[in-house]
Amino acid sequence: MNRRVSRRTALAGIGLGALSAGCLGRTRNIAGRDGSSQLTLRIDAAPADSDPNAIRIASHLAENLNAVGIDARINTLGRTDLWRKVLINRDFDVYVGQFLEHEPFDPDAMYAFTHSRFVAESGRQNPFGFADLNGVDERLERQRRAEGDARADAVADLQRSLCELQPFTAVAFPDPLTAVRGDRFAGWTNRRPVSAAGLLGLDRAGPTDGAAEDGSTDDGSGGNATDDDGAGDDGIIDDATGEDGIIDDATLDDATGGDGIVSDAEREDSGAVLRLVTTDASVTENWNPIAAEYRREGTFTALLYDRLALADGDEVVPWLCSGWERDGGTVTVALRDARWHDGEPVTAGDVAFTYEFLRDTSMGALEAAVPTPRFRGRSSVVRSARAVDDVTVELSVGDVNDAVAARALRVPILPEHVWADRTDPATIAGFEFDAETTEAVVTNNEEPVGSGPIRFVEATPEESVAFERNPDHFLARAGEEESSSDPAAGVPERFRGKPAFDRLEVGVMPSDIAAVQAVGDGLADATVSNIGPDAVPRIGREADARLVTGRAGGFYHVGYNARRAPLSNPRFRAVLASLVDKSALVDDAFSGYAEPAASPLATSPEWVPSDLSWEGRETDPASPFVGDDGSLDVEAARERFRDAGYRFDNEGRLLSRGE
């Protein structure tokens, strides 16, 4: 009889409390640790109180690996340390994380995730050390050049290659779950209501009913912007409501008193304060927009640092620039009248510096280039940047298509007079770097100087941070009647005169439950971090709190270090992928608030070929789970390892190759 492990046993096999703290320590190699010939894999993930979804995926995978004879050990560490290990030190076996590129999810987002070579760098430069020079690399380059059906074909082939080679395993796209209240601010939308675009789209809520000045209603249906921290703002509020607290249009109008928008003068007099709560303390300590460690949201750095352009639904609209023109391989960008938060003017020289800096944060001082991991894909599009004059810059983009060229305009623009001094090799007390990196990539960026619509005020580490409205920003100036010209020409109307708050305060809560309680008690207007499904019932019990939910493009995944054997073997990785029961994880770990996926482009179905689409299927079309009815078929899984060339000892332990 085949031995089976039920999905609930796998998910419950390792208690979340035991995974919330502690580190198993750095190990020297994958196989033969502690003198044993049994294969050992370390799974790195953030702890349960920081990312319960990630630790549940890690627990599920570890239980199944142990069942088939692999010694799987979970190592929990803070999110910052996790990403530094993965992206800088590359010291990991397997990790569980969330990719932060959100809708609209252009296929070129996969460039930074899977391309093996950037600019003058040599070697395998993606997070996994994965290289497929004649397959994936070639298809990534082809989709950058192609248009229309030719690009769709290249993207389809790219997805098939990734599903076959499995440098990472896409698990699920979680629904963003946010608790909000509408008595002080109106216009909460789904698709990340507390993203940069979502917060800029808010209006003050007043005590009276009525129609908004722009003719829209309080449901946020006035637009569909998506900011570059991955936040969507399509204005659709989930139309279900009930005991779970999910918000509908009528409920939202009741909570906000119609639209009740107040004038700019009334807003200034009111001293409006937007209060948010989060469980992620890094927002009180780190404001580096190009940090090596990916943030879960990136909301506040996106508000501190402007991009040249903003994704607005299917369009890309001018933001820090007033417009751009493309002539062959050159994009000419015209800047708006803007200033840095310290009063210095924003110039074309700053823009040219930014692109050069993102490609090599050492600015040639080190032997090899040190690009910023977070924006290496977009910055690699721009081959060179030249300031024509103070307000005009030319970007050389080569023969890429317009979608890829426009995406390259969505990187944070940095002040040269601040960042030019951050090119030295990085040093952090208590953290050892195994690979050469720079201060720019790891600095906390204290006292941040950007050009965005908010500016930094003060912070108490691990407790709170405060920002204030930037009255010199082009959005704020667009709301001033005395303006002689339009400082925000081309910007969507709902952002003009914004933000609607004078001060933005973010407090750190110990748990999702505490964060929801703060919203229900009126101490906060919304939660920032994506709350876990365990907190959803609590929202339904809070009379003044509502759940806003939608779909996100940031997928959870299991990443493999292809620099190390046996993870360097795609057949081995493919068997590991078949041990992940994605449907069970969605049902049990995410409580149904997620969609399983085989492809990293699953939330952009127009790009997914039918053979990789989950729609209408009960199991993974690329890597079907080894088992049925939610139970792992241990013997079938072992047979797959044997077919891949691996052996087991008499005790059922999988041996490292050569043993």
Side-chain angles (χ1 to χ4, degrees), residues 68-105:
V68 299
I70 296 174
D71 180 13
R73 308 175 181 181
I74 295 180
N75 177 37
T76 60
L77 65 168
R79 189 180 291 114
T80 295
D81 289 339
L82 170 65
W83 288 117
R84 284 175 177 166
K85 285 187 66 178
V86 171
L87 297 174
I88 297 178
N89 284 359
R90 302 161 188 168
D91 174 39
F92 69 98
D93 299 343
V94 179
Y95 77 88
V96 177
Q98 186 179 12
F99 186 60
L100 288 183
E101 185 79 15
H102 298 285
E103 295 178 291
F105 199 108

Side-chain angles (χ1 to χ4, degrees), residues 158-176:
L158 170 64
Q159 293 171 82
R160 293 187 182 103
S161 293
L162 293 176
C163 287
E164 178 183 358
L165 298 171
Q166 289 291 321
F168 62 90
T169 298
V171 177
F173 289 79
D175 299 339

Side-chain angles (χ1 to χ4, degrees), residues 248-377:
D248 66 1
D249 292 347
T251 304
L252 186 59
D253 283 338
D254 290 342
T256 59
D259 93 357
I261 309 303
V262 299
S263 69
D264 288 344
E266 290 172 320
R267 178 170 59 240
E268 293 296 330
D269 290 340
S270 70
V273 179
L274 177 65
R275 297 180 176 89
L276 307 175
V277 285
T278 181
T279 58
D280 184 2
S282 66
V283 70
T284 67
E285 302 177 90
N286 189 311
W287 306 281
N288 184 345
I290 65 169
E293 57 272 14
Y294 289 109
R295 286 177 174 78
R296 177 178 276 183
E297 303 292 341
T299 296
F300 305 107
T301 54
L303 288 169
L304 287 167
Y305 291 88
D306 284 321
R307 275 72 166 158
L308 292 174
L310 174 81
D312 184 30
D314 294 331
E315 297 182 298
V316 179
V317 299
W319 196 251
L320 182 58
C321 75
S322 58
W324 66 88
E325 295 182 355
R326 182 174 183 179
D327 182 10
T330 300
V331 176
T332 302
V333 177
L335 296 180
R336 300 186 192 277
D337 177 21
R339 290 190 173 273
W340 300 108
H341 296 157
D342 61 5
E344 294 292 321
V346 178
T347 69
D350 291 311
V351 177
F353 164 81
T354 295
Y355 282 98
E356 183 179 1
F357 192 67
L358 294 180
R359 288 160 60 92
D360 180 11
T361 56
S362 78
M363 298 295 281
L366 300 180
E367 184 176 348
V370 183
T372 172
R374 189 173 184 184
F375 293 102
R376 70 195 318 167

Side-chain angles (χ1 to χ4, degrees), residues 489-554:
V491 172
E493 184 66 29
R494 62 191 173 281
F495 297 133
R496 300 170 66 85
K498 300 297 181 68
F501 48 83
D502 297 320
R503 184 178 173 93
L504 170 60
E505 297 177 351
V506 185
V508 178
M509 294 284 117
S511 67
D512 289 346
I513 297 296
V516 170
Q517 182 70 55
V519 175
D521 291 345
L523 302 177
D525 297 292
T527 58
V528 177
S529 49
N530 189 28
I531 61 177
D534 292 345
V536 170
R538 183 56 179 262
I539 298 175
R541 293 194 292 270
E542 297 293 339
D544 296 319
R546 297 292 183 267
L547 175 69
V548 179
T549 183
R551 286 287 303 278

Side-chain angles (χ1 to χ4, degrees), residues 314-524:
D314 294 331
E315 297 182 298
V316 179
V317 299
W319 196 251
L320 182 58
C321 75
S322 58
W324 66 88
E325 295 182 355
R326 182 174 183 179
D327 182 10
T330 300
V331 176
T332 302
V333 177
L335 296 180
R336 300 186 192 277
D337 177 21
R339 290 190 173 273
W340 300 108
H341 296 157
D342 61 5
E344 294 292 321
V346 178
T347 69
D350 291 311
V351 177
F353 164 81
T354 295
Y355 282 98
E356 183 179 1
F357 192 67
L358 294 180
R359 288 160 60 92
D360 180 11
T361 56
S362 78
M363 298 295 281
L366 300 180
E367 184 176 348
V370 183
T372 172
R374 189 173 184 184
F375 293 102
R376 70 195 318 167
R378 300 182 195 191
S379 63
S380 69
V381 174
V382 179
R383 300 178 177 180
S384 63
R386 181 178 73 90
V388 177
D389 53 39
D390 284 348
V391 296
T392 310
V393 63
E394 288 183 350
L395 307 177
S396 175
V397 298
D399 61 351
V400 302
N401 56 51
D402 287 343
V404 172
R407 190 168 179 271
L409 301 179
R410 293 157 48 200
V411 301
I413 302 303
L414 308 173
E416 181 177 8
H417 64 281
V418 174
W419 288 82
D421 293 332
R422 298 177 177 177
T423 59
D424 292 338
T427 57
I428 296 180
F431 190 88
E432 177 184 351
F433 293 103
D434 292 343
E436 200 162 34
T437 190
T438 62
E439 190 68 26
V441 178
V442 300
T443 178
N444 283 352
N445 191 33
E446 297 178 3
E447 302 291 337
V449 176
S451 63
I454 67 171
R455 56 194 183 192
F456 176 79
V457 177
E458 60 186 353
T460 301
E462 300 186 1
E463 292 185 12
S464 64
V465 61
F467 308 93
E468 65 183 3
R469 188 174 190 259
N470 178 11
D472 297 326
H473 195 263
F474 55 84
L475 294 184
R477 288 187 283 117
E480 299 172 357
E481 295 182 2
E482 63 269 19
S483 297
S484 58
S485 60
D486 187 356
V491 172
E493 184 66 29
R494 62 191 173 281
F495 297 133
R496 300 170 66 85
K498 300 297 181 68
F501 48 83
D502 297 320
R503 184 178 173 93
L504 170 60
E505 297 177 351
V506 185
V508 178
M509 294 284 117
S511 67
D512 289 346
I513 297 296
V516 170
Q517 182 70 55
V519 175
D521 291 345
L523 302 177

